Amino acid sequence: MRKTCLLLFLSALLFSAAQSQSKDSIIIRKKYTTKPITTNIELDGIPSEEVWNTVEWGGDFIQYQPAEGKAASQPTAFKILYDEKFLYVAYRCFDSAPDSIVKRMSRRDEFPGDWMEINIDSYHDLRTAFSFTLSVSGVRGDEAVSNDGNNWDRNWNPIWFGKTHIDDKGWTGEVKIPFSQLRYGNEKEKVWGIQVHRRLFRKEERSTWQLIPQASGVWVSRFGELHGLNNIPTHRQVEIAPYVTAQVDKYKREEGNPFAKGSDSKLTAGLDGKYAVSNDMILDFTINPDFGQVEADPSQVRIDGFQNFFEERRPFFIESRNIFDYPLTGSAAGGDYDADLLFYSRRIGSSPHGFPSLGNNEYAKYPQNTSILGAAKFSGKTKKGWSIGVLESITQREMATIDKSGQRREELVEPLTNYFVGRLQKDINAGNTVIGGIFTAVNREKGLNDQLHRSAYSGGIDFLHQWKNRNYYIRGNVVFSNVLGTKEAILNTQNAFEHLFQRTDATEVSVDANRTSLSGMGGTVRFGKSGGPSGKLGQVFRYETGVTLRSPGLELNDIGFMLTANEINHFTWAGLQFQKAFSVFRSARINYNHWSRWDYGGQFLYQAFNTNSHAVFRNYWQVGTGLTWNPYDVSNNALRGASSIRRPSGIGYNFYVTSDTRKKFYVSVDAFNFWGSNKEVKGNNLGLSLSLQPIDALRISLSSSYGYNFRRQDQFVSNVSYNNSIRSIVGEVKQKTLRFTSRINYNITPDLTLQYYGQPFITRPLYNNFAYVSSPLAKQYNDRFTTFNANQISYANGSYMVDENTDGIVDYRFSKPDFNFVQFRSNLILRWEYRPGSEFYLVWSQSDTADVYNELDTPVFNSLFDNAFAEQSRNIFLVKCTYRFLR
C-alpha cells in the first residue's frame, strides 16, 4: 500500500514538472492608482467630500453574465482612497430606472437585491482574497476566498462599515475597511489584486471591472491591480470580546427523577479574542465558548449503518476554516467518499462517547455535549508564500451523576482530550504550484479505555500544479493514520462498521485481538481541465479523472470524518458548459460521470454511469435532470461484518424545476426515483420549496419533502449466532420519511434581525418477510436468501424467535426492528449588532423527540403532527451579550 501511494504521488509530481514548461498566454490586467488622504470622510453613502476628487473614477465595466464581454447595461464607477487606518471605496451605480432598484434585505452574508462588491487580494498571491459586499439596502456580506475562487467562505466576519444612498441617477455607496481586518506583507510600496463586481438584480446581470472569462475556470489569478498603497503602518489587530450568557431550560417534570424537576438555569461567561502577531499572521482564541445562538442541526436517521455528517455552525470553527480543510478527494465527479476529511471540527465538543450503566431506580444527569475549555488558532500567510495554520483545543473531562434514593455517585463518560491540527502550504511559481502538508493529533487521558483510542494521529502531504493559465491541473495527496489504545479499543476499531476485519470472505484483512495499534494509508491523484478558450456560445469543455484509495486500516474518525475504509475508487467527470445566451437559454450544461470501486482483496464492488443536464432559460426559470445506471453493486458493509453481499442493479432518475428567483414569490420542485432491475428495490423522494418576500425586510421560506424507500429482501436486521457460525438476518423494509422546514427572516434594520427556523420530522421503517443470507454473492437475487416460513418464526414481547431446524427449540432470536422516530427542532433568534463586532442575542430553542417509538399503526402524517409539538418538549430561553474591544 505504501508503495502504491508513493508511486501515485511521485508519478503525479513528474507529470506536473513536465507540464511546467508550458507557456501561459499574456493576461492584460487593468490598473487603478489610489492616493493617501489626511482628511476625514463622513460615511453617509454619498461620496461628496472634496477629497474624493483627488482620484479618478474607475469604470468601463463589462458583463460577466449573461452577455459576457459586452458593455454593462447600466454604467458603474468606483474610487479608492486610504489613510493610515482605513481603505475607502466609493461606488456610483448609474441606473436609468431608479424606481426599479431592488432594495431587499436579509441577514448578513445572504447578498440580497442590488449590490456592489470588492474583492481584495492583499497577499497578492493570485490565489486568495477578501470579499466585501454592500447591498443597496445596507446589508453587508463578506467572504474569505481561496483556491483561486473555487472556495468562498461566508463564515468569515470582519469588522467594516458601509452606507448607501439612492438618488435620481441610481445609487451610491461608501465603504470603510480597517487595514487591521486584512492580511498583507510589509513592503513599502504595495501592489494588491482587486476586482469590483456589480449585480443588477432585476436583470440578474453581473458586470465586472476586470473581465474574467467564465470559461477560464479561475478568479483571483485574473484580478486587476491596485497601485499607490505606500507606507501603510503596521496594524496589530487586537480584539477582545467577553460574553455573558443566562439560560433557562424548561421541560416536562418527571416524578421520582431528582434531575428532572421541570426547569434548570445557568449563568456562564467566556472570552473570544484576536491578536495580530504581524500584518499577515493572526491568533484567534476562545475560553469557555458558548454556542447557544447557533441554529439546530436538521434531523437525520439512517438505517444503512453509515454515520451522519453535520455541517459546522459554530462561529469559532467556521471562520477561516478553509485553511484547515483537507478533503481526501474533493473530486468534481462526486461520490460518497467526497465527505471524507482529515479534520472534521464537529468532533470537538461532540456528545460524550460513554453512557452510565444504570440499575433499578437509578437516574442520571448526563451532559448532552462535551464542554470546550478553550481553543486557539494561529493562521496566516507570509510574503514568501507560506500558509500556516495551527489549531489547538482542549475539551473537559465529563462525568455523569447517578442518583439512587439520594445516594449519588459519578461515572466518567468522556475523558479530558486535547485536539491538534497543523497545516502548512507553500506557493511556488506565482501560485501555479502548491505543495503542503497536514498533521493532526488527538490525545486522551485514561478512561473509557475499552471504547476510545488513547492517541490518534493522522497526516498527509499534498500538491497542486496548474498550467496554461490554470486551465489544466493535476493534484493529489498521500495520507496516513495511526491509532493507539488497549487491546479492547483496537479490537473494536477492527470490527467497527468502517473496517469490518471480521468479514468471513475478506482475504485482505483478519482480526488480531492482541493489537494495541492500527495504521493505514490513503491517497488521491486527479487530473483535469477547469477552463480554456470558449466557442461562439461560450461553450467550454471541462473534465476530471482520478483514483482515490482508503487502505483497510485507515482510521480518521477521532478528529476527521470517514465513511468507510478498504476501497479503491476510480472516477471520471466530463462536462460541456454553455455560458453565453443562445436560443431560449441564458446558460446550459451537460455532464457525464462514471464510478468504479474495488476493495483491497481485488473484489469488484461497484460501477455506475450518469448523465445530467441543467439549464437557465431567458425567463430565468431553471431546470435540470439526470439519469444514473448502476449495473453492479456489492457492499462490504451492508451485513455489518458477516460477509459481502451483492445488491440489486437499477436505474435512478431525478429532475428539478425552479421558477424565477428574482420574483417576490418563487417555487422549486424536485423529485428522485430509483428502481431495481427486477423491482427488488424502489426509492422515491419528492420535494417542494416555496419562497415569499412580501416586503423588502421580510422573507419566508417553506419546504417539504417526502421519501419512500423499499427493499424487497436485503435490508439488514441483525447478526446472530447459530451452529458456531453467524446468521445474517435480513428482511423487507418499507420506510417513509416526511419533513417540513420553515425559515422566517425579518430585518428591522441591517443590524437588527429576527430569525426563525423550525423542522418537524418523522421516519418510520417497517420490516417484514424475514430471511437469512445463505449465498450472499449469488447472481440471482432470490438465491441469496432463505426465507423463514410460518413454522420457523414467531413473534412475542418485542422479539422474533426462530426455530430454524423446526425441532421445537428456539435456535435464536432478534428484536423487532420497526420503529417510529418523531422529532421537532426550532430556533427563534433576535440578533442585534449594537456596535461593530458586539452583539446581543435573545434565543428561544425548542427540541422534542417524542416518546412514540412503537407507534406504528397511525398514518405517518398524523403521527408527526400529533406528537411533534407535544408537551414533553424541552424549551431553552437564552440571553447572550458580547462586547468587542478594538484597538
Side-chain angles (χ1 to χ4, degrees), residues 390-441:
V390 177
L391 183 146
E392 184 94 14
S393 182
I394 299 175
T395 56
Q396 180 173 292
R397 179 189 304 112
E398 297 288 359
M399 309 294 292
T401 303
I402 298 106
D403 183 283
K404 183 175 183 180
S405 303
Q407 299 295 316
R408 296 192 174 186
R409 59 184 172 87
E410 289 189 330
E411 191 171 314
L412 180 72
V413 293
E414 185 73 21
L416 181 76
T417 306
N418 176 264
Y419 297 87
F420 172 84
V421 184
R423 181 78 165 109
L424 187 67
Q425 288 182 291
K426 178 67 169 71
D427 290 0
I428 303 171
N429 186 24
N432 287 309
T433 302
V434 184
I435 58 174
I438 189 172
F439 178 75
T440 76

Side-chain angles (χ1 to χ4, degrees), residues 406-612:
Q407 299 295 316
R408 296 192 174 186
R409 59 184 172 87
E410 289 189 330
E411 191 171 314
L412 180 72
V413 293
E414 185 73 21
L416 181 76
T417 306
N418 176 264
Y419 297 87
F420 172 84
V421 184
R423 181 78 165 109
L424 187 67
Q425 288 182 291
K426 178 67 169 71
D427 290 0
I428 303 171
N429 186 24
N432 287 309
T433 302
V434 184
I435 58 174
I438 189 172
F439 178 75
T440 76
V442 178
N443 290 285
R444 299 182 174 97
E445 67 173 357
K446 290 183 179 180
L448 302 182
N449 294 336
D450 58 338
Q451 298 182 46
L452 298 177
H453 303 130
R454 183 177 68 254
S455 302
Y457 305 102
S458 65
I461 55 175
D462 57 278
F463 75 95
L464 164 67
H465 178 67
Q466 303 164 101
W467 63 96
K468 288 193 175 180
N469 292 326
R470 305 192 181 188
N471 291 329
Y472 295 87
Y473 64 88
I474 183 168
R475 66 191 313 155
N477 60 51
V478 175
V479 301
F480 76 91
S481 70
N482 179 246
V483 295
L484 302 95
T486 62
K487 293 179 181 180
E488 294 81 4
I490 300 303
L491 179 61
N492 285 337
T493 302
Q494 294 177 76
N495 293 334
F497 181 85
E498 294 81 8
H499 303 280
L500 302 175
F501 281 18
Q502 72 273 31
R503 254 180 41 241
T504 55
D505 59 341
T507 60
E508 68 276 18
V509 291
S510 60
V511 174
D512 182 350
N514 293 313
R515 297 188 71 154
T516 57
S517 66
L518 184 67
S519 298
M521 296 189 73
T524 299
V525 172
R526 49 196 178 105
F527 161 75
K529 177 177 180 285
S530 61
S534 60
K536 292 182 179 179
L537 300 179
Q539 70 268 32
V540 60
F541 181 63
R542 295 185 169 104
Y543 57 82
E544 181 180 81
T545 187
V547 177
T548 184
L549 319 169
R550 314 281 187 273
S551 80
L554 187 67
E555 173 54 50
L556 303 175
N557 285 323
D558 287 270
I559 196 172
F561 186 92
M562 185 183 71
L563 285 172
T564 186
N566 195 9
E567 287 188 351
I568 303 170
N569 290 280
H570 163 67
F571 52 88
T572 291
W573 161 78
L576 182 62
Q577 300 180 8
F578 297 87
Q579 296 165 324
K580 293 183 179 180
F582 69 99
S583 183
V584 297
F585 303 105
R586 279 173 60 92
S587 63
R589 65 186 191 276
I590 185 169
N591 301 300
Y592 164 82
N593 301 276
H594 71 247
W595 306 272
S596 301
R597 182 182 305 146
W598 299 261
D599 65 22
Y600 272 65
Q603 179 178 211
F604 184 51
L605 298 178
Y606 179 81
Q607 187 151 52
F609 303 88
N610 165 270
T611 183
N612 60 84

Side-chain angles (χ1 to χ4, degrees), residues 122-165:
S122 53
Y123 284 124
H124 208 213
D125 60 3
L126 308 182
R127 295 185 65 235
T128 61
F130 302 103
S131 177
F132 301 87
T133 308
L134 180 65
S135 74
V136 67
S137 60
V139 176
R140 289 168 295 148
D142 29 60
E143 297 167 289
V145 186
S146 58
N147 196 19
D148 202 2
N150 288 302
N151 187 335
W152 294 69
D153 183 4
R154 64 176 58 184
N155 300 297
W156 176 64
N157 286 315
I159 295 172
W160 59 286
F161 313 88
K163 293 289 184 180
T164 62
H165 176 74

